[in-house]
Amino acid sequence: MRKRTLGPLLVLVLLVPTVSASGQTLSPTPGPVITARAAEQADERHPADRRKVILDADMGELNDDAVTMFMLAKHPSVDLLGVTVVSGNTWVEEGTADALRQLELIGRRDVPVVAGAGEPLMPGRKVRLAAENALYGKAPWAGAFDSPRPPAYDRLPRPPYGGYPSTHPSTSAAADFIVNQVKRYPRQVTFLEVGPATNLALAVRTHPEIVPLVKEVIYMGGAFDKPGNITPAAEFNWWFDPESARIALRTPFPKQTIVPDDVCVKVRYTKAQYDAITAGAPTPVKTMFKDLQGPMFAADPRRSTFLWDALTAAVFLDPQVVKTSQSRYVDVDASFGPDYGRALGYGLDEFSAPANPVGTQRATLILDLDMRRFWDLYIGLLRRP
């Protein structure tokens, strides 16, 4: 590679508008001092020939979000611009600690971790949950709502796997990070939305100008032609914050793809896949799998689970893994009641524009995968050193 020689060093002081976590636009304040060399180093970290992606996740300890992060971080053609964290499976403080520590363990301290929304968009969501459970039956899994919110990412009820991270989260808010990256790489950034869509909703509501600049949004969310996995109506991600899911899906992004629970329940992870991943020379990921999953499979070798979010990574990394898909106009029921968080899909045969329900956008639903191709990708990436 040829080295570029630099002329006189330029120093730029940028005045940029600041947006608070609540979405309020503040007066311009001095931005960071950027030298020409610093800009060049940033470009070197994000080469143009690699696919750029932001992962927005309700991160946990070797949960489906973490495995999705590992798949993206280990793929040679992917430029993981950052991991933005949202409350969902865990509180944002717990997810931030888990994301930082797990990236440290796999040697990817270069990937920024950015804390985002700690609560759903609609105030009082947790408070209303008691009434919801009384009226419609208790949710079998309420994620973060099942425990008190920690005060900080380094003050949790218990440390993350491997101890507290030595690296720190970005000082910016997740919505601001999303906006800045999309503007820096217009029409190049794919956004993997594998948690509640609160960060994405805040980003597009405060900066609608980024919408045509996003390359694609890929969601894990919704249950369209089957019952939900949290209520009879709703899948977890869209149930946790239905208002944000509705905002995101109704935003006219150039392309939206949805990996719903309909296809997720067709992919079961068993001891056979665990054994394939952990075989051979040890790596940090293999050690994590052995420590955290090994005892469970030892106790019950017939145990199996779903992979949910990891399917979004596969669809992004290898579109040929998709076997069956369908286009629909999509929406989310955000009216409080038994259908709160229900995914709605309108077929093109009856509801093609302009007959689609007002405000709905067209999206591609992934309904079936090439299983052999998927497992080759999944196991292959997680076995990489």
Side-chain angles (χ1 to χ4, degrees):
M1 181 179 70
R2 290 188 303 169
K3 293 183 178 179
R4 291 188 294 166
T5 57
L6 295 175
L9 206 60
L10 300 178
V11 178
L12 304 178
V13 179
L14 303 181
L15 292 180
V16 295
T18 302
V19 179
S20 70
S22 64
Q24 180 182 5
T25 302
L26 307 177
S27 300
T29 56
V33 177
I34 302 176
T35 65
R37 179 57 186 155
E40 182 181 64
Q41 288 174 333
D43 289 341
E44 290 171 353
R45 289 194 297 270
H46 301 288
D49 60 345
R50 290 164 67 195
R51 291 178 290 167
K52 303 186 189 309
V53 62
I54 296 172
L55 176 65
D56 190 61
D58 49 345
M59 188 64 63
E61 199 169 79
L62 196 61
N63 69 341
D64 51 331
D65 302 74
V67 172
T68 303
M69 181 174 70
F70 294 154
M71 293 173 71
L72 298 173
K74 287 181 168 292
H75 199 286
S77 76
V78 169
D79 184 5
L80 180 55
L81 297 175
V83 177
T84 52
V85 185
V86 66
S87 288
N89 284 315
T90 58
W91 291 111
V92 68
E93 293 80 11
E94 297 167 305
T96 298
D98 284 331
L100 286 167
R101 187 62 184 130
Q102 289 172 133
L103 285 168
E104 288 178 352
L105 291 171
I106 66 168
R108 290 301 308 269
R109 293 168 181 255
D110 59 301
V111 177
V113 174
V114 192
E119 304 280 350
L121 199 62
M122 181 65 71
R125 175 74 178 95
K126 184 178 180 180
V127 174
R128 296 198 313 274
L129 186 59
E132 187 178 335
N133 288 340
L135 287 170
Y136 311 119
K138 188 179 187 310
W141 164 249
F145 293 150
D146 283 333
S147 62
R149 184 174 175 183
Y153 80 95
D154 54 358
R155 294 168 59 195
L156 305 179
R158 65 175 181 84
Y161 170 84
Y164 281 109
S166 59
T167 48
H168 304 285
S170 169
T171 56
S172 68
D176 297 339
F177 178 84
I178 294 164
V179 170
N180 292 336
Q181 294 301 309
V182 170
K183 287 184 174 181
R184 182 178 178 187
Y185 303 110
R187 300 174 185 86
Q188 298 179 62
V189 178
T190 297
F191 193 82
L192 259 61
E193 181 54 85
V194 300
T198 324
N199 290 335
L200 182 57
L202 288 170
V204 298
R205 278 296 176 93
T206 54
H207 286 276
E209 72 274 11
I210 72 167
V211 172
L213 304 181
V214 174
K215 182 177 181 180
E216 181 180 7
V217 180
I218 305 177
Y219 304 87
M220 191 278 120
F224 287 84
D225 300 326
K226 64 176 287 295
N229 59 5
I230 298 300
T231 72
E235 172 275 332
F236 177 80
N237 283 343
W238 293 2
W239 167 87
F240 192 90
D241 189 352
E243 289 78 15
S244 289
R246 192 169 195 259
I247 289 170
L249 290 165
R250 282 173 163 253
T251 297
F253 294 111
K255 184 178 182 182
Q256 297 196 81
T257 300
I258 301 170
V259 179
D261 201 43
D262 306 57
V263 66
C264 292
V265 298
K266 298 178 181 180
V267 184
R268 281 192 172 270
Y269 172 79
T270 69
K271 189 174 183 297
Q273 287 82 40
Y274 165 81
D275 288 341
I277 291 167
T278 56
T283 68
V285 168
K286 291 181 183 181
T287 299
M288 204 178 310
F289 270 74
K290 287 181 178 180
D291 288 346
L292 297 177
Q293 293 185 357
M296 295 186 294
F297 282 117
D300 181 7
R302 293 175 296 180
R303 175 189 178 91
S304 67
T305 188
F306 301 120
L307 296 176
W308 292 295
D309 300 346
L311 274 60
T312 64
V315 169
F316 167 69
L317 295 170
D318 180 13
Q320 293 185 14
V321 78
V322 176
K323 189 174 179 180
T324 306
S325 63
Q326 187 178 93
S327 290
R328 299 186 194 180
Y329 287 88
V330 296
D331 207 352
V332 175
D333 190 332
S335 301
F336 186 72
D339 284 338
Y340 193 46
R342 180 187 287 276
L344 305 171
Y346 303 94
L348 302 190
D349 50 345
E350 298 177 78
F351 294 101
S352 291
N356 58 302
V358 176
T360 59
Q361 303 296 323
R362 185 168 170 171
T364 300
L365 273 60
I366 308 303
L367 299 176
D368 206 359
L369 299 180
D370 180 330
M371 295 303 178
R372 174 176 288 185
R373 196 176 184 102
F374 169 78
W375 287 120
D376 285 348
L377 176 67
Y378 182 86
I379 295 169
L381 287 173
L382 294 175
R383 284 182 53 82
R384 286 178 66 93

